[in-house]
Every structure is written in structure tokens, then in C-alpha cells.
Amino acid sequence: QVQLVESGGGVVQPGRSLRLSCAASGFTFSSYGMHWVRQAPGKGLEWVAVISYDGSNKYYADSVKGRFTISRDNSKNTLYLQMNSLRAEDTAVYYCAKPRQLLWFGELSHWGQGTLVTVSS
Amino acid sequence: EIVMTQSPATLSVSPGERATLSCRASQSVSSNLAWYQQKPGQAPRLLIYGASTRATGIPARFSGSGSGTEFTLTISSLQSEDFAVYYCQQYNNWPPVTFGQGTRLEIK
């Protein structure tokens, strides 16, 4: 069965960096585009970034563009989110998510359990 | 960017009754609309995609309808496990994909 396991969250000071990982199993990781979606405490869902199956194409939400970088290592079945210049408003649970189909942008059928990032001095 | 607006923000319904949740898009998203359920401390769960197709394992009491800019999620007979927050998401015009702000379904 599909499993997505995020890690790397924690407490970080404003302006610092953090890298999240998402270990995938149970499906052919290298065939699927993958997403990061975040949720601030008590708030709704916000899409963050997507990467194509081979890593050649990436898109970002305006709120993170220029500060966050999505990447993947298909040999390790792992998705990453490098977060630089962190701000208090980046505090959220970060989920990695897999589309149901091989289309990058579609419904997200599988989600990890999330990892909490807290940006605070 | 397409803005998704859900109504109401909170819906109070008794177990066994029907719940109707609405989602409106700021421009047409065709049928490229999904619904998710989220319970406290859990990740979202895909319920409906393509506006009206139930995802794998989703009970038949959940149904979706609509196209273009107006969509509805109906839960025909509420069970205790259905009380949660529900989000709609469009994936017709991207990036970005966008989510509604959510409807909290609570026990009356």
C-alpha cells in the first residue's frame, strides 16, 4: 500500500533554513509528480509546490517562491522541500501528497501524516 | 488564481440527517474538482474527484455534483464519523491548485 512518511520538521528561528523529507513506498515513485501542501495551526490547506515525475519541472506558490525549493531523488524514493529564509507565517504542518493519477495536477489521493514546522525566536 | 469559496463555514446537523456543503469557484473549473475530509490531527482524505466520482473505499452516502463554478457535496445520512472539516480543491487551472477555506460539519 502507498505510504508517505515526512520528517525534518522542528522549531527554527526566523531567517534560518530547514529541509523536509518525504519517504515514499508502495508505488512507482519515479512515475508520479509529487506535491507539498501545508496547513497553519487552525487554518485551511495551502498548496506549496509540485515537482514533475523526473524533477525537470517545478512550480511554487507565490508565498514561497524564491525561498523554498522542491526536489526529489528517485533512486531513494524521496521527496524534499528545502526551506530558506523562514518566516513566522511559514509555521504549519507540511504534508507531502501523491496525485491519484499520473497527471501532475489532479486530485491528491494519498497524504503523509505531516511534519510540523514552527518558526519562532 | 482561482478562488474557491465554501459555504457555510460551519454546518450543524443531527446524526442521521442530510448535510449539503457548497463550493463555488471564481471561474469555471469544468469538473476538475475534488472534496476532502479532515479530522483533527489527521491528514486530509480524498472523498470525491472529478466533481462526482467517489474515491476508493468511500461510502455511498457521500456524493458530489456540479460543474463549472458551482459544486455540492452531499452526505445523505450522517454518521458519527462524518463530523469533520471538508475542503474542496480545484485542479483545472494550475499552478496553483487552490483549496476552499473549509466547512466544519458539527453535531447539532
Side-chain angles (χ1 to χ4, degrees):
Chain A
Q1 71 283 19
V2 173
Q3 270 203 307
L4 299 169
V5 180
E6 300 95 338
S7 60
V11 180
V12 60
Q13 293 179 328
R16 303 298 292 267
S17 299
L18 205 60
R19 188 177 82 155
L20 306 183
S21 299
C22 171
S25 60
F27 66 103
T28 306
F29 180 72
S30 59
S31 295
Y32 287 83
M34 292 292 294
H35 296 251
W36 287 99
V37 177
R38 68 184 181 183
Q39 186 170 37
K43 303 297 185 183
L45 301 170
E46 179 189 16
W47 175 79
V48 172
V50 65
I51 186 168
S52 60
Y53 70 99
D54 60 355
S56 62
N57 290 283
K58 306 171 186 181
Y59 294 99
Y60 300 91
D62 287 346
S63 57
V64 307
K65 202 173 294 182
R67 300 187 299 122
F68 288 13
T69 301
I70 189 171
S71 63
R72 66 191 298 159
D73 185 337
N74 285 344
S75 68
K76 296 181 178 179
N77 287 350
T78 303
L79 175 71
Y80 301 101
L81 186 67
Q82 177 67 43
M83 304 185 294
N84 298 332
S85 303
L86 282 161
R87 306 167 179 168
E89 54 265 36
D90 296 319
T91 295
V93 173
Y94 284 75
Y95 296 101
C96 63
K98 169 193 167 294
R100 187 182 65 85
Q101 299 186 91
L102 289 173
L103 305 171
W104 314 22
F105 284 90
E107 61 277 3
L108 300 174
S109 59
H110 294 85
W111 299 63
Q113 84 288 352
T115 188
L116 176 62
V117 173
T118 303
V119 183
S120 174
S121 54
Chain B
E1 172 178 325
I2 295 181
V3 177
M4 306 301 292
T5 302
Q6 292 186 239
S7 61
T10 303
L11 182 62
S12 299
V13 182
S14 300
E17 293 189 341
R18 174 187 299 256
T20 302
L21 290 67
S22 296
C23 176
R24 173 178 293 178
S26 59
Q27 65 188 78
S28 177
V29 299
S30 186
S31 294
N32 295 310
L33 188 285
W35 289 94
Y36 299 86
Q37 176 193 68
Q38 188 178 34
K39 297 179 181 179
Q42 296 185 16
R45 173 194 183 194
L46 178 65
L47 297 176
I48 301 285
Y49 62 90
S52 61
T53 303
R54 280 190 302 277
T56 302
I58 301 304
R61 64 181 181 272
F62 291 90
S63 63
S65 63
S67 66
T69 62
E70 301 284 343
F71 300 89
T72 300
L73 174 69
T74 301
I75 311 171
S76 60
S77 178
L78 279 164
Q79 307 296 304
S80 57
E81 62 267 29
D82 300 335
F83 292 96
V85 179
Y86 292 83
Y87 295 95
C88 61
Q89 174 220 356
Q90 72 82 21
Y91 47 92
N92 189 67
N93 287 39
W94 50 264
V97 299
T98 47
F99 293 90
Q101 80 281 15
T103 290
R104 180 178 305 278
L105 181 58
E106 64 176 29
I107 300 174
K108 186 174 182 181

